[in-house]
Amino acid sequence: MDIAVIGTGYVGLVTGAGLADFGNDVICCDIDPKKIDALNNGQIPIYEPGLDKIVSRNVDEGRLRFTTDLGDAISRSRAIFIAVGTPPKPDGSANLTYVENVARTIAAHMNGPKLVITKSTVPIGTGRMIEQILEESGNGQKGSVVSNPEFLREGSAIEDFLKPDRVVIGASDEESIELMKEIYAPLHSLEIPFVVTNVESAELIKYAANGFLATKISFINEVAQICERVGGNVQDVALGMGLDTRIGPKFLQSGPGFGGSCFPKDSSAMATIARAHGYPFQIMEAVLRVNDDIKQRMVTKIVDALNGDVKGKTIGILGLAFKPDTDDMRDSPAIPVIKGLQALGARIQAYDPQSMENSRAIFENIDYCDDAYGTAEGADAIVLATEWNAFRALNFERIKKAMKVPNLIDLRNVYDPQRMKALGFYYSSVGRAEDVRKAVSA
Ligand code: UDX
């Protein structure tokens, strides 16, 4: 099928490349000529494992191209995916200006029936709003709107697109559903379930899924706080909970709170949407409060490890991205942790395998190091903030030798407390009271 994908950010680019890989003819559009020029020169503007390969393969095979000419792309396409940003407004609701503008552009270039699909995470009711714009100014042509939310995780987005757990299609007519099934045809042979529903439910599924995963994280982060107080080990508790198939083992890893481009934004948007509809979503609001609180507690944990005073102390931060395998620092827990320590007078030196450039735009006042060993140099403490694989098997003798005081604060529970202690570190982690009392091993 001839498809236009509007917006070549993270979601748009992965969607465009993935749809082309399914055999569709895809034009990816963006109003930013610099982005399109770069893409036409084979440069991928974001770090996402495997994205460069899938883009170049589909460009070479003639199924994927890039343009700034939205009108032309719309006229040529039967289906148009909207994948522009919906950044949060100060009140937590999503800014729909870009989506609205795209809807108007589509309406202005309707030269036949168009299937318009929202991929961006949009507030409930946005599909209907787009439908209205197409109806009012769509040259009398039929515009059907479908909600088809993405569930892409940064770092494994290509795999998530090509082999999703499910495809959600929110539509109001049979023809649209059939067209969507055609677009995703290769997924039928993989027996991927399709959830077909109305537009509002599909829009809500995205928020509810992200909100629920965020809830699991805030829940286990609170359990970790209790573990520290009662002498428990949160990893054992998570395992014991997660083996109940009704709960499941995923998203029960405690740490410094969730970040990234989705969970904080979508949880907050969901709470705002609920309030706007006259219902305070109490659990979601608590999940957000816990997430803010946990980040501050991480600062306290580090300060405590340094005997209550970080003024003039050098603290090395391992990892700045909100999670491994991405250069994304949006809402990264490392940000409030660093700011909190700086406010107390600490000097910060840091290293991240991918997000140093993004970090420089946020923090000018930290020293950037070449690797983990540089981060340990002369430090009074090092803090593992992002669980990159590269940090799992460090030469800890070398790390310890480089440090002024061997304080190691592991915010991701990556290291074995007993081993770290045997190596001579003053080690602390999250929700593992076995840091002080060895749990019975299974
Ligand atoms: C998430 C959703 O997984 C994806 O389906 C959606 O489309 C976009 O948002 P992403 O933001 O890429 O994807 O990251 P994810 O791997 O889900 O992690 C989000 C945050 O939660 C990270 O800060 C991570 O460190 C944290 N997290 C995750 C935990 O603290 N504990 C866990 O057990 C899992």
Side-chain angles (χ1 to χ4, degrees):
M1 193 179 304
D2 288 315
I3 296 175
V5 178
I6 303 183
T8 57
Y10 187 80
V11 171
L13 201 50
V14 173
T15 301
L19 292 173
D21 219 53
F22 288 160
N24 298 291
D25 286 307
V26 180
I27 312 178
C28 284
C29 323
D30 205 292
I31 50 168
D32 181 351
K34 267 199 240 143
K35 244 188 196 176
I36 295 298
D37 276 352
L39 286 163
N40 278 326
N41 287 322
Q43 290 156 13
I44 308 291
I46 49 167
Y47 172 75
E48 177 63 36
L51 182 58
D52 50 352
K53 282 200 192 81
I54 190 173
V55 167
S56 65
R57 182 169 71 236
N58 285 284
V59 168
D60 291 348
E61 291 171 10
R63 288 187 300 268
L64 180 62
R65 43 198 195 92
F66 303 98
T67 182
T68 49
D69 192 343
L70 263 62
D72 181 58
I74 292 162
S75 313
R76 287 168 185 270
S77 302
R78 176 67 179 91
I80 300 144
F81 282 77
I82 301 180
V84 292
T86 54
K89 291 199 278 198
D91 68 356
S93 66
N95 180 350
L96 287 178
T97 315
Y98 304 118
V99 173
E100 263 185 71
N101 288 346
V102 169
R104 289 189 203 289
T105 310
I106 296 172
H109 291 90
M110 298 260 285
N111 58 346
K114 303 285 174 192
L115 185 68
V116 177
I117 304 122
T118 52
K119 251 304 172 206
S120 311
T121 304
V122 291
I124 296 109
T126 306
R128 296 281 167 233
M129 179 266 284
I130 298 171
E131 212 161 59
Q132 211 171 341
I133 293 175
L134 300 182
E135 220 172 274
E136 281 167 13
S137 23
N139 306 326
Q141 302 285 354
K142 185 175 173 231
S144 313
V145 178
V146 169
S147 165
N148 172 223
E150 52 83 17
F151 301 96
L152 308 172
R153 285 166 303 173
E154 294 186 23
S156 48
I158 305 299
E159 199 193 325
D160 288 347
F161 193 91
L162 300 179
K163 250 187 120 191
D165 288 343
R166 77 302 206 187
V167 174
V168 173
I169 298 172
S172 37
D173 62 282
E174 277 307 316
E175 192 194 10
S176 300
I177 296 164
E178 286 316 308
L179 286 169
M180 289 303 290
K181 288 187 173 166
E182 208 180 294
I183 290 170
Y184 285 106
L187 297 183
H188 297 296
S189 52
L190 296 176
E191 296 185 6
I192 306 291
F194 278 60
V195 178
V196 178
T197 181
N198 66 359
V199 175
E200 286 74 13
S201 305
E203 289 170 342
L204 190 51
I205 285 169
K206 175 61 194 267
Y207 283 114
N210 274 354
F212 189 76
L213 292 169
T215 305
K216 281 186 95 172
I217 299 170
S218 273
F219 186 92
I220 203 68
N221 282 340
E222 289 210 284
V223 171
Q225 290 299 315
I226 299 164
C227 282
E228 289 182 4
R229 286 158 180 77
V230 302
N233 177 334
V234 71
Q235 287 176 311
D236 294 345
V237 176
L239 180 67
M241 285 170 62
L243 286 171
D244 184 327
T245 50
R246 293 169 302 176
I247 297 174
K250 293 181 181 161
F251 282 74
L252 286 179
Q253 233 168 285
S254 65
F258 56 77
S261 64
C262 286
F263 286 177
K265 170 171 84 71
D266 292 352
S267 305
S268 156
M270 188 159 197
T272 308
I273 290 166
R275 276 210 180 261
H277 284 81
Y279 182 79
F281 192 159
Q282 299 171 74
I283 291 178
M284 207 72 269
E285 290 178 1
V287 163
L288 286 159
R289 275 199 307 276
V290 169
N291 199 45
D292 284 342
D293 177 63
I294 285 297
K295 290 170 185 167
Q296 292 319 309
R297 285 182 191 273
M298 295 301 120
V299 176
T300 308
K301 181 182 279 297
I302 298 162
V303 174
D304 286 351
L306 282 130
N307 297 322
D309 187 12
V310 294
K311 196 157 194 263
K313 301 274 168 69
T314 298
I315 301 179
I317 307 286
L318 294 177
L320 296 160
F322 81 97
K323 67 170 193 178
D325 296 322
T326 176
D327 63 355
D328 198 341
M329 279 195 66
R330 280 175 288 179
D331 264 312
S332 173
I335 300 172
V337 167
I338 291 174
K339 284 189 176 161
L341 293 170
Q342 284 178 328
L344 295 169
R347 203 194 126 253
I348 303 293
Q349 53 194 31
Y351 168 72
D352 185 283
Q354 289 295 337
S355 64
M356 305 273 267
E357 210 179 302
N358 286 336
S359 181
R360 281 194 173 92
I362 302 169
F363 293 113
E364 283 175 2
N365 54 351
I366 65 183
D367 290 325
Y368 292 96
C369 307
D370 292 336
D371 56 19
Y373 303 102
T375 311
E377 202 60 53
D380 294 280
I382 50 173
V383 176
L384 180 81
T386 315
E387 69 277 35
W388 284 93
N389 273 342
F391 299 147
R392 287 179 192 266
L394 294 168
N395 178 340
F396 282 101
E397 292 291 356
R398 200 176 144 196
I399 293 272
K400 199 180 129 203
K401 227 176 248 164
M403 295 178 74
K404 195 164 144 202
V405 188
N407 276 309
L408 172 56
I409 301 110
D410 175 3
L411 302 185
R412 299 285 183 170
N413 288 349
V414 160
Y415 307 120
D416 174 25
Q418 301 308 317
R419 182 169 168 249
M420 288 303 140
K421 269 171 205 160
L423 282 163
F425 284 96
Y426 304 119
Y427 177 79
S428 49
S429 57
V430 181
R432 298 197 295 181
E434 111 227 52
D435 289 358
V436 285
R437 203 174 69 189
K438 174 86 180 105
V440 179
S441 55

